[in-house]
């Protein structure tokens, strides 16, 4: 995927675009991605490790096989001094400011595999990505009926194919969602849908609140298809994400506030 095309379209139409084809590892469907969401919490130390299971498969003789376990090692801690967060990574990523590709995007692109401007594996971390009410503070303790209604409202607002509440450990919860294969778009800005964008791949997105009020969106780009390994690494990394106070982040919050309208 060309990253410039990715940002110009994805922030408007749910991270959909044309994918650059490459040999794929074992792939995972949207349903498998949701079912393996962050299975266990891991402390955000200088190293993190864990396992994740894939879905069961039925061989020709009909006997169910145990879920495939994938060992995940996260040995590099990335710290964003500008936006005030840390996250454990499988290796040292190349960091590209999201604003390079869309001036309205605030955050980082953590690139793990690329060829020139074609990005194959990356995490996209954006700040102030949702409204306060989209992910309630008591998301994990909501009654089932209220939780279901909250998830459905979230899914419909952001036009996701599927969404669910994810437990990230340490009493921290977020919204875990899958982008759709197709989405209607307004290409000329007249407020009416006039085209349909079709993606050859889907993305996983997680929305969570930071310890100091941040509203973060963490997305998995795993090209050309979502792989079980890519999802397992991403899921474990989510449990290590932490926000910490930084003057630069607070400065951004102040600058991003809309000016108050003057009373006539």
């Amino acid at each position: 995927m060309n990253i410039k095309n990715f940002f110009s379209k994805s922030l408007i139409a749910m991270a959909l675009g044309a994918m650059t084809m490459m040999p794929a590892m074992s792939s995972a469907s949207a349903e498998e991605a949701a079912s393996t969401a962050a299975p266990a919490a891991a402390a955000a130390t200088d190293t993190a490790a864990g396992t994740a299971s894939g879905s069961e498969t039925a061989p020709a003789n009909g006997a169910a096989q145990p879920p495939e376990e994938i060992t995940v090692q996260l040995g590099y801690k990335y710290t964003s001094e500008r936006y005030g967060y840390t996250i454990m990574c499988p290796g040292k990523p190349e960091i590209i400011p999201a604003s390079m590709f869309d001036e309205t995007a605030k955050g980082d692109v953590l690139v793990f595999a690329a060829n020139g401007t074609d990005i194959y594996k990356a995490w996209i971390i954006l700040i102030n990505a949702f409204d306060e009410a989209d992910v309630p503070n008591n998301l994990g303790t909501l009654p089932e009926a209220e939780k279901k209604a909250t998830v459905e409202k979230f899914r419909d607002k952001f036009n996701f194919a599927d969404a669910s509440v994810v437990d990230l450990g340490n009493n921290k919860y977020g919204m875990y969602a899958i982008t759709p294969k197709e989405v209607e778009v307004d290409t000329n800005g007249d407020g009416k849908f006039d085209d349909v964008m079709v993606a050859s791949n889907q993305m996983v997105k997680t929305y969570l609140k930071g310890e100091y009020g941040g509203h973060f969106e963490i997305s998995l780009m795993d090209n050309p298809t979502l792989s079980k390994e890519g999802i397992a690494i991403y899921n474990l990394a989510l449990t290590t994400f932490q926000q910490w106070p930084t003057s630069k982040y607070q400065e951004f919050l102040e600058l991003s506030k809309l000016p108050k309208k003057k009373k006539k």
Side-chain angles (χ1 to χ4, degrees), residues 74 76 78 87-96 109-115 118-125 219-222 230 233-234 237:
L74 303 176
Y76 182 85
Y78 171 67
I87 188 170
M88 297 302 299
C89 302
K92 185 176 181 179
E94 177 185 356
I95 308 301
I96 303 175
V109 182
L110 281 59
V111 180
F112 299 101
N115 182 11
D118 291 328
I119 308 299
Y120 303 138
K121 295 185 183 296
W123 299 340
I124 304 163
I125 302 178
S219 302
L220 167 64
M221 181 194 294
D222 196 9
I233 294 171
Y234 169 80

Side-chain angles (χ1 to χ4, degrees), residues 66-261:
E68 177 187 354
E69 287 194 348
I70 300 172
T71 301
V72 177
Q73 296 287 340
L74 303 176
Y76 182 85
K77 178 188 283 188
Y78 171 67
T79 299
S80 173
E81 294 185 1
R82 181 176 187 182
Y83 298 120
Y85 69 83
T86 59
I87 188 170
M88 297 302 299
C89 302
K92 185 176 181 179
E94 177 185 356
I95 308 301
I96 303 175
S99 59
M100 279 188 61
F101 313 103
D102 189 317
E103 62 182 9
T104 65
K106 304 298 182 182
D108 302 313
V109 182
L110 281 59
V111 180
F112 299 101
N115 182 11
T117 58
D118 291 328
I119 308 299
Y120 303 138
K121 295 185 183 296
W123 299 340
I124 304 163
I125 302 178
L126 303 179
I127 66 172
N128 288 3
F130 56 90
D131 295 330
E132 176 70 19
D134 291 331
V135 182
N137 291 328
N138 61 339
L139 184 61
T141 58
L142 288 174
E144 283 304 314
E146 191 174 347
K147 183 184 294 184
K148 181 179 179 182
T150 301
V151 170
E152 290 178 351
K153 182 179 179 180
F154 181 88
R155 181 194 64 205
D156 294 343
K157 176 179 180 177
F158 291 99
N159 193 30
F160 284 119
D162 195 12
S164 61
V165 175
V166 61
D167 183 356
L168 299 171
N170 297 320
N171 199 33
K172 184 164 60 176
Y173 296 84
M175 286 288 193
Y176 191 95
I178 309 295
T179 61
K181 290 283 288 185
E182 297 183 358
V183 65
E184 292 181 306
V185 293
D186 174 12
T187 59
N188 55 18
D190 64 357
K192 297 179 181 179
F193 296 130
D194 51 33
D195 199 1
V196 175
M197 292 186 65
V198 180
S200 58
N201 191 8
Q202 292 172 286
M203 294 183 67
V204 183
K205 292 174 172 281
T206 303
Y207 295 75
L208 57 88
K209 290 181 176 178
E211 291 83 349
Y212 296 91
H215 294 171
F216 294 91
E217 173 191 320
I218 306 173
S219 302
L220 167 64
M221 181 194 294
D222 196 9
N223 184 37
T225 57
L226 289 173
S227 66
K228 292 178 180 178
E229 180 185 37
I231 293 170
I233 294 171
Y234 169 80
N235 286 346
L236 184 61
L238 289 176
T239 69
T240 73
F241 184 89
Q242 289 186 320
Q243 183 187 15
W244 45 272
T246 168
S247 59
K248 291 184 179 180
Y249 182 84
Q250 295 302 322
E251 181 182 348
F252 167 77
L253 291 181
E254 292 299 321
L255 292 173
S256 64
K257 289 180 179 179
L258 295 176
K260 294 181 178 180
K261 295 182 179 179

